[in-house]
């Protein structure tokens, strides 16, 4: 077999293992829920639905971090770690969608929307939207607990005081801090100095996304396999700029992407008021009246298609899109350079290269 | 020293230990947050504020469960367990207050209210209420992660597969299931059969409150000290009816309590639409037009004082308050009878008796 097909078959086996483990784990939880009341079954149902899809980027980063540090293929502990990461990601998405008022996720209704629909079809009393939000807050909490429960099942390698446990703890705290910075910038950004907006947006993506989506999962896999500090340091030099580039790609897609491909309505990031690096450049580079227009329009949930088009025009004409693409290119180069310096065997090196390429050049 | 003063000094030492450990833990987390950005410091600040108050009922149940099973006083592991329970309770309260739209907690503003006030005093853009809710969702998530991080620090006794870990996992899942049943009953209750309303309300308090507030914490302490299954079974026979009586007392206070003492505005439980056992009895026992009036009024956030008074009158006149008090009495007797059958030494037995008495006869 070629390296590419070996990677493919290993990844397929790992992803299949994670999917199987998730199914087994959630089936056990569904039994517990059924013992409480059949009424609570939709909680697990919506978690199952959510963990079925997705790119499994974090689980794969974790896997190749493990393999790169000498961890064997087909090991159940790394499958459990992947499962814990996927459950954590699902928990984050559930709450994120409430916060961002996103009614769709992966092409279907988001969890809070599913619950408000359940309310409507049953003709229940009071407000369906409030019920949906409340149920999704609880479902996210449950999923966050499941993530932890799953992580603990790894056993000794993830025990108190272990490097892997430390990474998992820091990962959770930092992503929540980053998400807070994100919502803070939505409201405080318009009254803070414009000159600092790109730097603030970069800090947000570092904590909200890059550390969480690539750096920590890769390090976690490495730590579980007993990677020395120098390897973890090298991992970080690769994965942090990669994660930043990945999130900036996401932000560009959020404004310019094809809704058919991304599964999210065009302009939703603008309606949510996301103050991304792309927006930060535009606020700084656009002529004053256009920057003011952006400040006024961002976060308006009723933004019309024409207004979205106008914002796109401003972002392109002031050079913000170009500046962002150039930064994505620079960060990608940094990441790929660091990758080639990693003391890895051919298989994990090639796999990480593939993952990195798909992360920064994707269309969805 | 008498048993009472011995209990007092042990409890004071334990509670002091939990408070100290919480302070140390949150200071460490605040350092991590400060390394991200000074902007995120309010997250930890609001958690610190919340864990400073409270009755510490769960931590104390856990402590005496531990002592009753032969665990030594002054042990750091049980202090860590108490800390994990307090952090879990804080996380649950933060999200609960969003769900219930409660703007006050322990006499001060609830976490989402603190963040919406932060928004207002800073003159930030967009909606302060939405920002408050979003920030509190993230703060609760952070606090839930801290709870777990703290629980893991117990070490081997709480490791994967241990009885204590199993109890902690089930506790989290069941309380979230119970909270979901609670919000479900608020919306589905009015269209479900009235005859089943008391039974449904009892199921809600069992999972949302009794198992979580008394049964699981007591069992957790016992399990950490290596209690045999028979002792845990005996614990349960005491703590489950106790927890049910405790929550029913809470529900009575929510409608009839003195706002000065409870720290919550009178009638708030009615405005939130809580379908408690008390309400369940009233719906069944009141004359049809009055039961219909209750169904219409429950969950109306704009309920006036006169309407609250009318609901109180209906609840009293139809005998629902009496029925609830009688059930509280029955459950309390069951709990105290089971307590006296427990094979405990005098100190933990007396301490649990004290705790139980204050739980069911309190005014706040």
């Amino acid at each position: 077999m070629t390296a590419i097909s070996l990677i493919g078959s290993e990844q397929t086996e790992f992803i299949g293992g994670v999917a199987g483990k998730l199914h087994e784990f959630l089936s056990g939880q569904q039994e517990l829920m059924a013992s409480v009341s059949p009424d609570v079954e939709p909680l697990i149902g919506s978690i199952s639905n959510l963990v079925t899809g997705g790119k499994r980027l974090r689980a794969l980063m974790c896997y190749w971090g493990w393999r790169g540090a000498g961890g064997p293929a087909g090991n159940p502990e790394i499958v459990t770690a992947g499962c814990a990461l996927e459950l954590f990601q699902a928990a984050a998405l559930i709450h994120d969608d409430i916060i961002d008022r996103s009614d769709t996720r992966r092409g279907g209704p988001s969890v809070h929307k599913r619950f408000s629909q359940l309310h409507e079809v049953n003709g229940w009393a009071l407000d369906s939207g409030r019920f949906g939000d409340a149920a999704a807050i609880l479902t996210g909490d449950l999923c966050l607990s499941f993530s932890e429960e799953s992580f603990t099942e790894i056993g000794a390698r993830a025990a108190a005081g272990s490097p892997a446990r430390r990474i998992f703890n820091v990962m959770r705290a930092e992503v929540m801090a980053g998400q807070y910075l994100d919502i803070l910038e939505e409201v405080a950004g318009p009254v803070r100095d414009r000159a600092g907006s790109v730097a603030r947006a970069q800090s947000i993506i570092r904590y909200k996304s890059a550390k969480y989506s690539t750096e920590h999962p890769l390090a976690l896999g490495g730590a579980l396999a007993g990677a020395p500090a120098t390897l973890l340091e090298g991992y970080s030099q690769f994965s942090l700029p990669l994660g930043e580039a990945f999130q900036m790609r996401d932000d560009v897609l959020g404004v310019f992407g094809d809704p058919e491909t991304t599964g999210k309505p065009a302009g939703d990031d603008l309606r949510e008021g996301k103050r991304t690096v792309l927006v930060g450049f535009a606020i700084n580079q656009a002529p004053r009246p256009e920057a003011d227009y952006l400040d006024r329009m961002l976060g308006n949930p009723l933004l019309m298609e024409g207004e979205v088009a106008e914002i796109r025009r401003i972002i392109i004409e002031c050079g913000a899109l170009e500046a962002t693409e150039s930064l994505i290119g620079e960060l990608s180069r940094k990441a790929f350079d660091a990758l080639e310096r990693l003391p890895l065997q051919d298989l994990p090196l090639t796999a990480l290269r593939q993952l990195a390429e798909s992360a920064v050049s994707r269309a969805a």
Side-chain angles (χ1 to χ4, degrees), chain A residues 162-230:
Chain A
S162 68
R165 160 64 58 181
R166 198 191 56 76
I167 293 166
F168 197 68
N169 286 344
V170 170
M171 177 191 80
R172 289 190 297 199
E174 283 186 345
V175 70
M176 287 156 196
Q179 285 182 297
Y180 177 75
L181 288 179
D182 195 23
I183 60 163
L184 179 66
E185 187 65 13
E186 284 175 23
V187 297
V191 298
R192 288 185 165 182
D193 70 304
R194 285 183 173 174
S197 59
V198 171
R200 291 195 300 272
Q202 282 183 302
S203 173
I204 291 168
I205 60 172
R206 181 162 309 137
Y207 288 101
K208 184 190 82 164
S209 183
K211 281 178 170 281
Y212 160 55
S213 303
T214 51
E215 191 192 32
H216 291 315
L218 186 68
L220 183 63
L224 285 169
T230 49

Side-chain angles (χ1 to χ4, degrees), chain A residues 70-190:
Chain A
N75 178 288
E77 290 171 30
I78 196 66
V79 170
T80 304
C83 182
L85 285 172
E86 289 292 310
L87 286 166
F88 183 77
Q89 164 71 353
L93 292 178
I94 294 169
H95 284 177
D96 219 30
D97 284 342
I98 303 172
I99 291 171
D100 291 341
R101 278 187 185 161
S102 298
D103 285 348
T104 56
R105 170 62 64 184
R106 293 173 181 164
S110 52
V111 172
H112 62 94
K113 190 71 188 169
R114 284 167 67 100
F115 279 104
S116 68
Q117 288 170 347
L118 187 69
H119 182 288
E120 283 153 18
V121 298
N122 281 285
W124 290 334
L126 305 177
D127 189 67
S128 65
R130 269 183 56 74
F131 174 75
D133 286 357
I137 288 175
L138 295 172
T139 306
D141 288 348
L142 192 63
C143 196
L144 187 54
S145 300
F146 288 168
S147 156
E148 174 53 47
E149 185 171 335
S150 180
F151 190 72
T152 305
E153 283 178 10
I154 296 171
R157 289 180 200 261
S162 68
R165 160 64 58 181
R166 198 191 56 76
I167 293 166
F168 197 68
N169 286 344
V170 170
M171 177 191 80
R172 289 190 297 199
E174 283 186 345
V175 70
M176 287 156 196
Q179 285 182 297
Y180 177 75
L181 288 179
D182 195 23
I183 60 163
L184 179 66
E185 187 65 13
E186 284 175 23
V187 297

Side-chain angles (χ1 to χ4, degrees), chain A residues 25-68:
Chain A
F25 181 89
L26 291 172
S27 301
Q29 298 292 349
Q30 190 63 293
E31 276 178 42
L32 174 63
M33 292 294 125
S35 76
V36 174
S37 162
D39 282 337
V40 294
E41 289 179 8
L43 296 175
I44 306 288
S46 59
I47 294 172
S48 294
N49 179 66
L50 199 54
V51 297
T52 303
K55 291 182 274 285
R56 309 247 190 246
L57 172 66
R58 291 157 196 88
L60 285 170
M61 290 301 286
C62 183
Y63 182 74
W64 291 111
W66 159 271
R67 293 285 285 130

Side-chain angles (χ1 to χ4, degrees), chain A residues 221-265:
Chain A
L224 285 169
T230 49
L231 180 57
L232 294 181
E233 178 53 34
Y235 273 0
S236 181
Q237 283 164 12
F238 154 65
S239 55
L240 196 57
L242 173 71
E244 293 181 10
F246 170 80
Q247 182 57 43
M248 282 188 210
R249 171 62 54 225
D250 207 59
D251 292 341
V252 170
L253 288 169
V255 178
F256 294 97
D258 177 1
E260 286 287 315
T261 323
T262 62
K264 289 185 75 172

